[in-house]
Amino acid sequence: MSDNGVRIRICGKVQGVGFRPFVWQMAQQLHLLGDVCNDGAGVEIRLLGDGDGVVAHLLAHCPPLARIDSTDLRAMRWEIVPQDFTIRQSAAGSMSTQIVPDAATCPACLAEMNDPRERRYRYPFINCTHCGPRFTIIHAMPYDRPLTVMADFPLCPRCHAEYGDPADRRFHAQPVACETCGPELRWQRGADTASKEAALQAAVSLLASGGIVAIKGLGGFHLACDARNPAAVAELRARKRRPTKPLAVMLPGAGALPTQAYALLTTPAAPIVLVDKSCVADLCAQIAPGLNDVGVMLPATPLHHLLMQALNRPLVMTSGNLSGRPPAITNAQALADLADIADGFLLHNRDIVQRMDDSVVRQNGEMLRRARGYVPDALPLPPGFHNLPPVLCLGADLKNTFCLMRGEQAVLSQHLGDLSDDGTEAQWREALRLMQNIYDFVPQRIVHDAHPGYVSRQWASGMDLPAESVLHHHAHAAACLAEHGWPLDGGEVIALTLDGIGMGDNGALWGGECLRVSYRECERLGGLPAVALPGGDLAARQPWRNLLAQCLAFIPDWQRYPETAALQRQNWPLLARAVARGINAPRASSCGRLFDAVAAALDCAPVTLSYEGEAACALEALAAGCNGVGHPVTMPVNGAELDLATFWTQWLNWQATPARRAWAFHDALAAGFASLMRSQARARGINTLVFSGGVMHNRLLVSRFRHYLADFTLLFPQQLPAGDGGIAFGQAVVAAARLLPLEG
């Protein structure tokens, strides 16, 4: 018997985005007969006839949150000829479809929430197939209501009718609910409680009077207060033990924000976007002290829209945790952990399955922290990477993300943070378990960082699986290469990886390296000279220790310079003896610690840092106003290393304002590294240069690299963080390249 139909397989982001009702509506318009269903591999469409033009229609009219990555059309035989077009119940199968990230409230739901004629008027959990929670509420696939936290909320008759109507925008919107059947707000302040609208109004009243409120969101809690109220912000900082680290701000509207920033803020991802402070009026000085940028966001959930409509003022929205601890995700955890910080709690009874921090981007789209709105979007692997077995890559211990790789794709987890914290490690383990369960992912290999002390490496050693290590800076460079689609057989590049500390060859500590890199190989060609880290880990928290190390290594008469006065008030002789004897003073070629030393010399950093990168951020902010100013400072290349002795002599003997000297340091550093990269690239006939590592988040430094190396092809991280948040993806492509056979 001959075929009388076609089966169309659609892969990509096609579940939880209204794809099946979109197909159903298309079928009604085109008078098609057959059916459609979700399964573990994506969406399957079966049609009577040849399906001519259907794939083109699908590609041209995809729903807002959907993305089609591939289509496959094959002939089939209908034994019972269909008489209409139906939506079949979801089927199980091998997991290859993409799960959709949580999406900000869509315009249709926002309008409905604000319309008194609608039954969901002022309902703080309104959503549809185009918006609302997705990844943060999933227990397992396929993405259907019984496998989400919404299983706890049986649909009322009216919601059930919408859920079952293919013509409705809430057809199979798994979080769909209303005030009758869905989640509800609860207010708690000491013994006082309230629910629903009264809970919302209690939070509004406390925020308006200068209080601090813990607010449960999509993937965790925020701590909120009036961003215009210096006393409220100072109190939040004191209670949270966050003295200077910048705070994110939620705005009631876009105001005079730049077009680029507005475009990002109004995407379904709705990230925090860094903008110049001058673009945002009425913020108190304590929001981002000493910095030129501030992180802003717009309301991303119905609850946040209701709060901002009531208050009509900017609110601090910072993570709901004590400094250094993981954010709370359950009501009980928030009430316990935040009891000494929040004056009141705006809670709800919809559980959070996956912790999901706010994503942070620059207005040019550069990713600084990848989480809500972007995770778990799959990352395509570059040309040449195919048919890969399941490999689990564990990333780094700071700014941790992990990566699942299989076939031709990789899924990078959300930002999880510092694994040395027990609470963060527990959330990391749970996220690992959930992701593997959701994706039906059983790893055949594990990849970890080369550092023997990493929690992630120690965890890997306890698994009964083949394991391999990848050098930290090799992973940095490879992640940037892969993000830009550099093919497996694309050959070698010259890479510059600048960060704090990472394990290099033979146990060396790297952080300022010029490398020859392919996906399979990594060789150090030069960079910064190794300098002691007095006090070991303390050097990362106290910049003056790094200034002492630079003085001892490169400035014989350092005590005569006024820039070292603060250093001389410390017990430096004891540390100097420890450095001389190699006691708790490992040597590292760390660019991050060089930034700390210069910041200490200019007295623009505190004695003890309150957050990672604080000194470098202050130094960049100080230099920003002097872009292009001439100076006599150089950092020449001596052999294959930058000559820091020459730099310090010239820099210390040049009398100029602190801002000009900060600018000169950035410019000299970029010029020195550019000279080294140029010579290494020209010697090998290479024209592509790659940049990565956390220091590459410094916009001033990046702009100088672009200036000095404009005749090369330059690749900088953009879609993934330049820092350790991208390490796991780099580990994935390095491990994959080692698994695949060499061509020829």
Side-chain angles (χ1 to χ4, degrees):
M1 299 177 70
S2 61
D3 296 324
N4 60 354
V6 293
R7 177 182 284 108
I8 305 173
R9 162 69 58 204
I10 312 293
C11 293
K13 286 203 294 184
V14 290
Q15 292 192 19
V17 293
F19 200 87
R20 289 176 299 165
F22 156 67
V23 173
W24 182 88
Q25 292 163 16
M26 174 196 71
Q28 309 310 306
Q29 296 167 11
L30 302 179
H31 306 292
L32 302 175
L33 302 177
D35 58 34
V36 61
C37 82
N38 283 344
D39 63 16
V43 167
E44 180 186 71
I45 304 169
R46 301 189 302 177
L47 297 173
L48 185 67
D50 59 11
D52 185 43
V54 169
V55 171
H57 187 97
L58 293 171
L59 293 170
H61 302 285
C62 204
L65 296 182
R67 188 185 70 235
I68 296 175
D69 290 337
S70 67
T71 62
D72 179 65
L73 188 150
R74 300 188 183 188
M76 63 163 287
R77 172 74 186 173
W78 286 96
E79 299 298 336
I80 300 175
V81 176
Q83 302 301 308
D84 56 8
F85 192 90
T86 61
I87 297 177
R88 287 187 289 142
Q89 186 168 346
S90 299
S94 174
M95 180 60 224
S96 62
T97 193
Q98 293 183 33
I99 304 165
V100 181
D102 296 46
T105 309
C106 70
C109 282
L110 185 58
E112 185 180 345
M113 185 189 73
N114 288 322
D115 188 343
R117 298 168 297 178
E118 296 286 350
R119 70 186 187 92
R120 292 187 178 87
Y121 176 57
R122 296 187 62 77
Y123 182 55
F125 304 97
I126 188 171
N127 65 84
C128 69
T129 53
H130 305 315
C131 66
R134 294 292 190 274
F135 185 52
T136 52
I137 63 171
I138 296 172
H139 289 298
M141 290 296 283
Y143 177 58
D144 278 330
R145 193 177 182 96
L147 298 177
T148 73
V149 300
M150 298 307 293
D152 295 337
F153 301 95
L155 292 169
C156 69
R158 297 180 72 178
C159 284
H160 191 273
E162 293 170 328
Y163 184 84
D165 182 1
D168 195 287
R169 82 173 196 275
R170 292 193 169 91
F171 175 76
H172 279 227
Q174 308 308 335
V176 66
C178 71
E179 193 170 59
T180 301
C181 63
E184 64 179 45
L185 292 178
R186 179 167 66 88
W187 171 253
Q188 186 160 334
R189 185 182 189 190
D192 296 334
T193 61
S195 61
K196 299 187 178 181
E197 182 68 23
L200 178 66
Q201 294 307 319
V204 168
S205 176
L206 184 55
L207 287 166
S209 64
I212 299 168
V213 176
I215 302 169
K216 188 177 184 180
L218 282 177
F221 281 75
H222 285 116
L223 288 165
C225 71
D226 187 343
R228 303 180 306 181
N229 185 329
V233 175
E235 186 64 22
L236 174 59
R237 285 194 174 281
R239 295 182 189 178
K240 189 174 161 67
R241 301 177 197 166
R242 185 171 175 163
T244 57
K245 189 175 183 180
L247 300 167
V249 174
M250 183 173 285
L251 303 176
L257 293 176
T259 302
Q260 280 183 306
Y262 178 78
L264 284 166
L265 288 164
T266 54
T267 61
I272 295 171
V273 179
L274 294 188
V275 300
D276 191 278
K277 280 183 180 178
S278 63
C279 300
V280 187
D282 298 330
L283 299 184
C284 68
Q286 295 96 322
I287 295 295
L291 302 180
N292 299 324
D293 291 341
V294 61
V296 300
M297 56 178 142
L298 295 178
T301 73
L303 175 58
H304 289 108
H305 276 287
L306 291 168
L307 284 168
M308 299 308 290
Q309 288 170 7
L311 288 157
N312 194 30
R313 69 187 72 178
L315 293 178
V316 169
M317 285 283 176
T318 190
S319 57
N321 64 307
L322 190 64
S323 183
R325 298 286 296 162
I329 61 173
T330 69
N331 291 348
Q333 184 184 2
L335 290 167
D337 290 359
L338 308 180
D340 294 330
I341 303 177
D343 297 312
F345 294 80
L346 187 57
L347 310 171
H348 60 73
N349 58 342
R350 186 179 66 200
D351 290 341
I352 298 169
V353 178
Q354 288 271 14
R355 169 190 154 190
M356 194 64 62
D357 296 4
D358 296 311
S359 293
V360 182
V361 301
R362 295 196 190 279
Q363 65 182 45
N364 67 354
E366 179 194 352
M367 185 67 65
L368 302 180
R369 183 171 72 199
R370 187 174 180 271
R372 179 180 56 78
Y374 298 95
V375 174
D377 274 351
L379 303 170
L381 297 178
F385 291 88
H386 53 80
N387 299 324
L388 293 164
V391 178
L392 172 60
C393 305
L394 299 179
D397 270 16
L398 292 177
K399 298 181 175 65
N400 178 268
T401 64
F402 58 85
C403 184
L404 313 182
M405 179 180 63
R406 179 172 57 193
E408 285 77 41
Q409 290 183 329
V411 174
L412 191 64
S413 79
Q414 68 271 39
H415 166 89
L416 289 160
D418 182 359
L419 298 187
S420 66
D421 176 80
D422 290 342
T424 302
E425 185 190 353
Q427 290 184 348
W428 175 75
R429 289 174 181 268
E430 179 62 10
L432 271 171
R433 185 193 67 78
L434 280 166
M435 287 274 274
Q436 292 180 79
N437 180 47
I438 289 168
Y439 282 99
D440 190 22
F441 186 90
V442 180
Q444 295 180 8
R445 304 179 68 85
I446 289 187
V447 184
H448 54 74
D449 192 274
H451 198 300
Y454 272 12
V455 171
S456 51
R457 176 166 180 170
Q458 293 164 4
W459 183 86
S461 66
M463 301 296 292
D464 189 21
L465 286 171
E468 64 178 291
S469 67
V470 173
L471 292 179
H472 191 86
H473 297 88
H474 191 188
H476 266 314
C480 184
L481 273 179
E483 174 192 329
H484 288 277
W486 187 262
L488 177 61
D489 60 357
E492 297 177 346
V493 299
I494 299 299
L496 186 67
T497 55
L498 307 180
D499 63 2
I501 295 289
M503 186 60 67
D505 274 335
N506 302 316
L509 296 177
W510 289 355
E513 319 311 315
C514 179
L515 306 169
R516 177 188 62 82
V517 167
S518 68
Y519 285 119
R520 293 185 174 94
E521 297 180 346
C522 173
E523 177 191 6
R524 186 180 192 273
L525 303 176
L528 290 175
V531 178
L533 301 175
D537 290 344
L538 274 176
R541 299 194 294 275
Q542 296 181 329
W544 64 268
R545 291 173 180 267
N546 301 292
L547 178 58
L548 174 63
Q550 295 285 325
C551 289
L552 295 174
F554 304 115
I555 316 165
D557 55 346
W558 61 271
Q559 294 177 65
R560 73 180 181 88
Y561 292 101
E563 291 82 359
T564 67
L567 172 59
Q568 294 180 60
R569 291 194 290 270
Q570 303 291 336
N571 188 8
W572 69 265
L574 179 65
L575 274 182
R577 287 194 294 272
V579 168
R581 297 171 184 174
I583 300 171
N584 196 24
R587 296 169 61 80
S589 53
S590 172
C591 191
R593 302 294 77 80
L594 177 60
F595 268 83
D596 289 349
V598 175
L602 289 176
D603 197 26
C604 67
V607 173
T608 299
L609 303 181
S610 65
Y611 64 94
E612 185 186 12
E614 181 177 7
C617 289
L619 192 62
E620 181 186 5
L622 180 63
C626 294
N627 202 340
V629 173
H631 62 85
V633 180
T634 63
M635 203 175 290
V637 178
N638 184 1
E641 291 188 338
L642 271 60
D643 185 347
L644 292 182
T646 295
F647 161 74
W648 281 109
T649 298
Q650 294 176 347
W651 190 82
L652 288 169
N653 285 293
W654 179 48
Q655 297 305 307
T657 65
R660 293 184 68 184
R661 298 175 82 192
W663 149 255
F665 164 68
H666 283 83
D667 187 57
L669 183 68
F673 272 126
S675 177
L676 175 59
M677 295 182 80
R678 180 181 297 278
S679 64
Q680 296 293 344
R682 292 290 184 238
R684 293 166 174 79
I686 291 173
N687 195 55
T688 299
L689 308 180
V690 171
F691 301 79
S692 195
V695 173
M696 294 304 169
H697 287 311
N698 184 310
R699 288 174 297 166
L700 175 55
L701 192 65
V702 167
S703 72
R704 300 315 293 163
F705 283 133
R706 292 190 185 279
H707 169 76
Y708 286 117
L709 295 167
D711 51 330
F712 286 85
T713 298
L714 309 181
L715 303 181
F716 290 92
Q718 181 75 7
Q719 299 174 43
L720 300 179
D724 285 4
I727 284 282
F729 185 54
Q731 292 173 345
V733 290
V734 170
R738 293 171 179 173
L739 287 171
L740 293 168
L742 290 167
E743 298 295 330

